[in-house]
Amino acid sequence: QVQLLESGGGLGHPGASLRISCVASGLTLDYNALGWFRQASGRVREGVASIKSSDGSAYYADSVKGRFTVSRDNAKNTVYLQMNSLKPEDTAVYYCAAGNPAYVRDWFPWHMNYWGNGTLVTVSS
């Protein structure tokens, strides 16, 4: 049984940093692409960042490029999202997801095989 468990969400001030984590069980990171989506209240779920576990190739939405960094530790079956220079518009529930590596650049919800339950990130002063 595959499980993705997120942690590390919370409240951050504008300009601050937060890191969220996702521990995967029941699947091997080497054969998957993993990454993050987010969904703000009243908005559609959007891809944020993805990483191909086999070679570490990473891709980002334009809205977070230069501020967010996705990384993975295959030995720990864990994917991270380091979020710097947070903005109020980053407020959302962040979901960890896993899918076929072929879709690492086409990071859309309908390409994903597995989802976590989400962790809330709130950016507010």
Side-chain angles (χ1 to χ4, degrees):
Q1 181 180 0
V2 175
Q3 286 188 322
L4 302 177
L5 182 62
E6 303 99 335
S7 63
L11 175 65
H13 296 298
S17 298
L18 283 175
R19 189 178 79 160
I20 55 179
S21 304
C22 171
V23 179
S25 59
L27 62 79
T28 303
L29 265 59
D30 286 349
Y31 303 116
N32 288 272
L34 284 97
W36 299 89
F37 289 80
R38 67 185 181 187
Q39 187 165 16
S41 179
R43 304 193 67 173
V44 299
R45 191 170 297 188
E46 62 174 353
V48 175
S50 59
I51 187 166
K52 186 185 292 186
S53 297
S54 59
D55 63 9
S57 301
Y59 303 90
Y60 300 92
D62 288 343
S63 58
V64 306
K65 202 171 293 183
R67 300 188 298 120
F68 290 11
T69 302
V70 61
S71 62
R72 89 278 190 239
D73 184 333
N74 288 3
K76 295 182 178 179
N77 259 27
T78 301
V79 177
Y80 306 95
L81 186 67
Q82 177 68 41
M83 302 180 288
N84 299 330
S85 302
L86 285 166
K87 303 176 180 180
E89 51 263 43
D90 294 321
T91 296
V93 176
Y94 283 72
Y95 296 91
C96 179
N100 189 308
Y103 297 122
V104 69
R105 290 189 177 187
D106 297 313
W107 203 243
F108 297 110
W110 50 88
H111 286 159
M112 299 301 105
N113 296 322
Y114 305 104
W115 291 93
N117 290 327
T119 185
L120 177 63
V121 172
T122 303
V123 183
S124 176
S125 55

